[in-house]
Amino acid sequence: MPATAAARKSTIITPYRPLEKRPLPAGRPRRWYVTHNRRLKAMRLSIALLDSGIYLPTQASNEKIRNTAELVGIRPPSDTTCRLVRTLLRYSR
């Protein structure tokens, strides 16, 4: 096996740890913060769904997304956030 192929093959040894949270910039309208946090939550849920083998938006029902949120340790998402998760799954292809 060439050295480059061995270098590309890697295994994850440590479990996933989220990055340390930093404060958001001040002075923006409240709507911006709500949208920003919703997008971050949807991205985390999309990554968790992709890791669990769900690749298509039709496979991700609201119930499945909420169960995944519970497994990952995120508060249950709203219907709007679930819709955004499916949108991210749709455009990740």
Side-chain angles (χ1 to χ4, degrees):
M1 180 184 277
T4 57
R8 274 188 248 143
K9 193 174 194 178
S10 65
T11 57
I12 298 173
I13 297 170
T14 59
Y16 168 76
R17 282 190 343 223
L19 296 174
E20 188 175 319
K21 292 185 178 182
R22 296 180 309 189
L24 294 173
R28 301 231 165 115
R30 177 171 172 74
R31 183 175 170 191
W32 182 89
Y33 296 105
V34 171
T35 304
H36 177 76
N37 288 330
R38 177 171 283 139
R39 286 178 183 160
L40 289 177
K41 186 176 197 177
M43 184 65 72
R44 278 188 245 118
L45 287 169
S46 298
I47 291 168
L49 286 168
L50 289 169
D51 287 345
S52 69
I54 296 175
Y55 303 109
L56 299 173
T58 54
Q59 296 172 323
S61 64
N62 285 358
E63 182 181 344
K64 181 65 114 175
I65 294 170
R66 289 187 176 114
N67 289 339
T68 303
E70 185 178 330
L71 286 172
V72 176
I74 301 174
R75 290 184 61 200
S78 65
D79 290 341
T80 306
T81 305
C82 289
R83 196 167 39 247
L84 182 56
V85 168
R86 282 189 289 276
T87 302
L88 288 171
L89 288 174
R90 182 176 299 117
Y91 291 112
S92 68
R93 306 184 122 244

